[in-house]
Amino acid sequence: MPTITHNKSLKEKRAQRVRRYMHGTAERPRLPVSRSNKHLVLQAINDDTHVVIAAVSDLGKAGMKGTKTERAALLGKQIAEQLKKTKVSKLMFDRGSYQYHGRVAAVADAFRKEGIEFYRYAGTKNVRTRKQRVRRE
């Protein structure tokens, strides 16, 4: 009997690896970065209630000037201000399948300048696996 294999692209595997340890809450929402060749979309998501707390995008904004990296920093500043209004000071930075470089890093730097603390997945070195969590609980 033939076996069914579900082949995932490398991009899907990277995104899944990053998101495995992330879950947004009301006090620390998840901030996924969606990037295309021309535009950038940022959302702050509470995964407990499946609600978008704040969102910002450069789609359809004709007044945005500068390079894509400069626009990303401006969007990061705008969503940080929205999050401050909702009294959110911490978040989970979800880079998805993208490298922490360029526009993605510019967004993170804008958050740091605005004083918002965030957790960024940097590998599994200090993160407990699912088996370790089950054993301890």
Side-chain angles (χ1 to χ4, degrees):
M1 183 170 220
T3 59
I4 298 173
T5 58
H6 298 283
N7 297 326
K8 292 184 181 176
S9 68
L10 293 176
K11 183 177 179 179
E12 290 171 333
K13 286 181 183 181
R14 282 192 305 268
Q16 197 173 39
R17 184 170 56 237
V18 169
R19 291 186 179 127
R20 181 178 302 143
Y21 302 104
M22 292 193 174
H23 182 81
T25 60
E27 50 276 343
R28 188 185 282 261
R30 181 171 58 93
L31 185 102
V33 176
S34 301
R35 188 187 80 176
S36 72
N37 286 339
K38 290 185 178 182
H39 300 289
L40 188 72
V41 178
L42 305 172
Q43 296 178 333
I45 300 173
N46 179 355
D47 289 323
D48 290 338
T49 58
H50 306 289
V51 173
V52 175
I53 298 169
V56 70
S57 170
D58 65 348
L59 288 166
K61 293 187 179 178
M64 297 197 77
K65 301 283 185 197
T67 64
K68 291 186 279 188
T69 307
E70 292 168 353
R71 291 188 312 213
L74 184 64
L75 289 176
K77 184 177 179 181
Q78 288 175 358
I79 196 166
E81 291 169 356
Q82 288 180 12
L83 289 173
K84 283 182 180 179
K85 288 178 185 174
T86 59
K87 296 185 174 83
V88 173
S89 62
K90 298 179 180 179
L91 56 86
M92 305 283 281
F93 190 73
D94 182 4
R95 64 180 174 84
S97 64
Y98 308 117
Q99 284 186 337
Y100 187 78
H101 178 76
R103 289 185 275 168
V104 177
V107 170
D109 291 338
F111 277 106
R112 283 193 193 99
K113 287 179 185 173
E114 292 295 318
I116 293 185
E117 176 187 333
F118 64 91
Y119 168 78
R120 170 175 80 91
Y121 175 78
T124 58
K125 183 177 180 183
N126 295 322
V127 179
R128 293 185 303 166
T129 62
R130 186 169 285 141
K131 288 181 183 178
Q132 290 170 334
R133 281 185 289 209
V134 170
R135 280 190 219 138
R136 290 184 182 181
E137 295 171 354

